[in-house]
Amino acid sequence: MTLTETPPARDLEAGFEATIARNERIEPRDWMPEGYRKTLVRQIAQHAHSEIIGMQPEGSWITRAPSLRRKAILLAKVQDEAGHGLYLYSAAETLGVSRLELTELLIAGKQKYSSIFNYPTLSYADVGTIGWLVDGAAICNQVPLCRTSYGPYGRAMIRVCKEESFHQRQGYELLATMMRGTDEQRAMVQESVDRFWWPALMMFGPPDDASPNTAQSMAWGIKRHTNDELRQKFVDMSVPQAEALGVTLPDPELRWNDERGHHDFGQPDWDEFMEGVKGNGPCNAQRMAHRRRAHEDGAWVREAATAYAAKQRAVSA
Amino acid sequence: MSELSAEGGHGAVPLKDVPTGEGVTPPEPEWPLYEVFVRGKRGLNHVHVGSLHAADDRMALLHARDVYTRRNEGVSIWVVRADAITASSPDEKDPMFAPSGDKVYRHPTFYDIPDNVPHM
């Protein structure tokens, strides 16, 4: 309910632009251009879907964790991913969409999630590698989003980033522990890193020259860095971490460039990436089937809770 | 599907040709929306932290605990149905706030006090 009138229409767009120009945040009930709202819904909803689907690759290792300590850590991590999904659905809902509808769009395959979760987790070392590289790449993406122009999204990102740091560190520590183990364990770590390095680089999306709408997102303050800038940052961060761990990164072109002050590196296989986005990655069908089943299996719980709430209301009325 | 932004969190997501779901009726009746407020520690106010859906008040409280206080972020939680909140207009230049706009004399800095007067 609103107690006062909204200002005249001609002031609305100017007011929005001025707020962005002052680097202030747009809040849910502010007027905003339809393109801004739609871009945000797509980005936040699919970010939320990624968190929810992201529970699957690691979740399957919970019952196979090698110790109670690792099991407790992994449980907490996977629970966090669910929490991140909920923070993000909550932010998306402030834009006038409903969580149930977004879930339906995910299950119908109309909205996407990050392709990284379409790769299988073949060994326990993958739990560590996902924490180190996949969550490390996610941190590169998400830290700038804490300053994104849409208030609820930025606030959700601040919470997510605080928790993501635990995810990355537990992964790196897991790998470091294995590297201090047997030759076989070290080989498991290297094999895992070899499989995840290129998909991790793909997480930043196609190169800037193939991203024509980046400029609009940056003008609106939704996006703060280009795909290539973030990818470079991630590579520069990861190289010394790999050295400290004692693993090699599977890129023959990877070397320090003194002139640029950055590492040069090779390009991932973008055809493989696009196949994943289209739904043809190694585990797409499995991930979607699992998500659909979880939603359908949960239907009776939702119905029962609704019926119980109605009954309680009737009793107290 | 050429446009994929890195900033989809855990990896690039497409920002073109994706339906937003705006204006579509949900496939099943949705649980009411609750706004969640958390008191971080004794001595602080409850602060709005986000929202969630729940079938009833008690479920809202339990879900709020699981979603918003997994790391000792709070000692007390309020949940309130979003449709029970009455709000002012979002515009910050709203005439609603005009009564306080021109009353500079309500601020201590309005008054000149000589430098040699201590503790004021």
Side-chain angles (χ1 to χ4, degrees):
Chain A
M1 196 175 107
T2 304
L3 291 177
T4 49
E5 296 303 312
T6 46
R10 64 178 185 279
D11 293 345
L12 294 174
E13 183 145 18
F16 172 84
E17 296 293 345
T19 304
I20 297 278
R22 287 195 307 271
N23 209 15
E24 286 183 11
R25 301 292 180 262
I26 303 298
E27 293 297 341
R29 293 161 66 243
D30 289 343
W31 182 90
M32 60 189 85
E34 211 36 42
Y36 177 84
R37 182 191 301 275
K38 285 193 155 71
T39 300
L40 277 170
V41 170
R42 291 183 185 114
Q43 185 169 324
I44 300 172
Q46 295 182 118
H47 191 163
H49 299 333
S50 300
E51 302 283 355
I52 297 298
I53 297 286
M55 289 191 279
Q56 292 185 38
E58 293 177 281
S60 50
W61 283 100
I62 291 173
T63 55
R64 298 166 177 85
S67 68
L68 189 57
R69 179 176 182 272
R70 294 291 169 196
K71 186 172 184 167
I73 291 169
L74 187 51
L75 260 175
K77 199 211 154 187
V78 172
Q79 192 192 10
D80 273 353
E81 305 295 0
H84 295 179
L86 293 177
Y87 302 156
L88 285 157
Y89 284 128
S90 164
E93 285 190 307
T94 64
L95 292 159
V97 293
S98 89
R99 191 178 94 197
L100 262 182
E101 183 57 31
L102 297 177
T103 301
E104 288 296 322
L105 288 169
L106 168 66
I107 287 172
K110 290 177 183 164
Q111 288 186 344
K112 307 291 180 186
Y113 56 88
S114 168
S115 293
I116 192 72
F117 301 119
N118 290 322
Y119 290 92
T121 43
L122 304 177
S123 83
Y124 198 75
D126 289 358
V127 172
T129 309
I130 288 175
W132 173 38
L133 293 179
V134 174
D135 293 323
I139 290 171
C140 281
N141 286 344
Q142 291 175 148
V143 166
L145 285 175
C146 294
R147 295 179 293 112
T148 197
S149 62
Y150 188 57
Y153 192 23
R155 293 192 284 276
M157 281 299 101
I158 289 169
R159 304 182 70 85
V160 167
C161 285
K162 275 186 196 161
E163 299 177 359
E164 209 74 65
S165 174
F166 144 61
H167 297 180
Q168 192 187 25
R169 291 174 67 118
Q170 65 82 32
Y172 194 83
E173 188 230 43
L174 190 164
L175 296 179
T177 306
M178 288 183 77
M179 292 302 284
R180 288 194 300 272
T182 63
D183 284 345
E184 201 183 356
Q185 286 174 312
R186 276 186 285 279
M188 271 173 77
V189 173
Q190 184 63 58
E191 188 274 335
S192 175
V193 170
D194 287 346
R195 265 186 297 115
F196 273 97
W197 174 250
W198 292 111
L201 289 193
M202 292 177 200
M203 287 175 65
F204 299 94
D208 292 346
D209 52 20
S211 302
N213 288 321
T214 287
Q216 178 61 76
S217 267
M218 290 182 82
W220 275 332
I222 298 174
K223 198 170 166 58
R224 296 293 185 180
H225 300 283
T226 71
N227 296 359
D228 283 334
E229 283 168 8
L230 291 167
R231 188 168 13 249
Q232 180 73 61
K233 190 167 173 240
F234 174 71
V235 171
D236 289 341
M237 272 171 41
S238 300
V239 168
Q241 292 169 354
E243 277 169 21
L245 196 57
V247 296
T248 57
L249 298 172
D251 180 358
E253 294 175 51
L254 182 65
R255 67 179 58 85
W256 177 253
N257 182 328
D258 222 8
E259 224 167 90
R260 291 202 307 124
H262 292 290
H263 292 87
D264 291 337
F265 56 96
Q267 283 292 312
D269 180 349
W270 290 115
D271 293 336
E272 177 186 318
F273 173 77
M274 288 315 297
E275 282 305 305
V277 173
K278 283 182 205 153
N280 304 323
C283 297
N284 286 57
Q286 183 188 333
R287 302 288 185 240
M288 289 298 288
H290 184 93
R291 181 68 193 88
R292 203 173 290 127
R293 194 166 60 242
H295 187 65
E296 286 161 7
D297 289 353
W300 74 268
V301 180
R302 296 192 294 276
E303 284 162 22
T306 305
Y308 178 76
K311 194 174 163 191
Q312 294 302 109
R313 268 197 307 278
V315 168
S316 63
Chain B
M1 199 175 286
S2 60
E3 182 69 4
L4 288 114
S5 170
E7 294 179 310
H10 279 275
V13 290
L15 293 183
K16 296 275 279 178
D17 308 322
V18 172
T20 60
E22 273 180 282
V24 184
T25 315
E28 55 188 271
E30 196 150 33
W31 288 341
L33 187 68
Y34 285 80
E35 298 296 337
V36 181
F37 300 80
V38 171
R39 184 198 293 284
K41 60 180 181 185
R42 289 176 178 277
L44 297 181
N45 287 320
H46 284 77
V47 173
H48 182 247
V49 293
S51 64
L52 49 77
H53 290 275
D56 57 33
D57 296 353
R58 180 172 162 72
M59 185 195 269
L61 209 49
L62 293 177
H63 283 183
R65 177 199 61 189
D66 292 345
V67 177
Y68 292 105
T69 62
R70 285 194 304 285
R71 287 177 176 76
N72 305 316
E73 289 96 335
V75 295
S76 166
I77 302 174
W78 289 345
V79 290
V80 58
R81 276 183 62 147
D83 58 14
I85 293 176
T86 303
S88 65
S89 145
D91 189 45
E92 61 187 55
K93 292 189 290 293
D94 197 292
M96 170 98 164
F97 300 105
S100 78
D102 59 355
K103 295 181 178 60
V104 285
Y105 49 84
R106 288 187 171 179
H107 297 276
T109 48
F110 180 72
Y111 302 94
D112 284 329
I113 303 292
D115 289 344
N116 59 355
V117 177
H119 307 306
M120 194 177 284

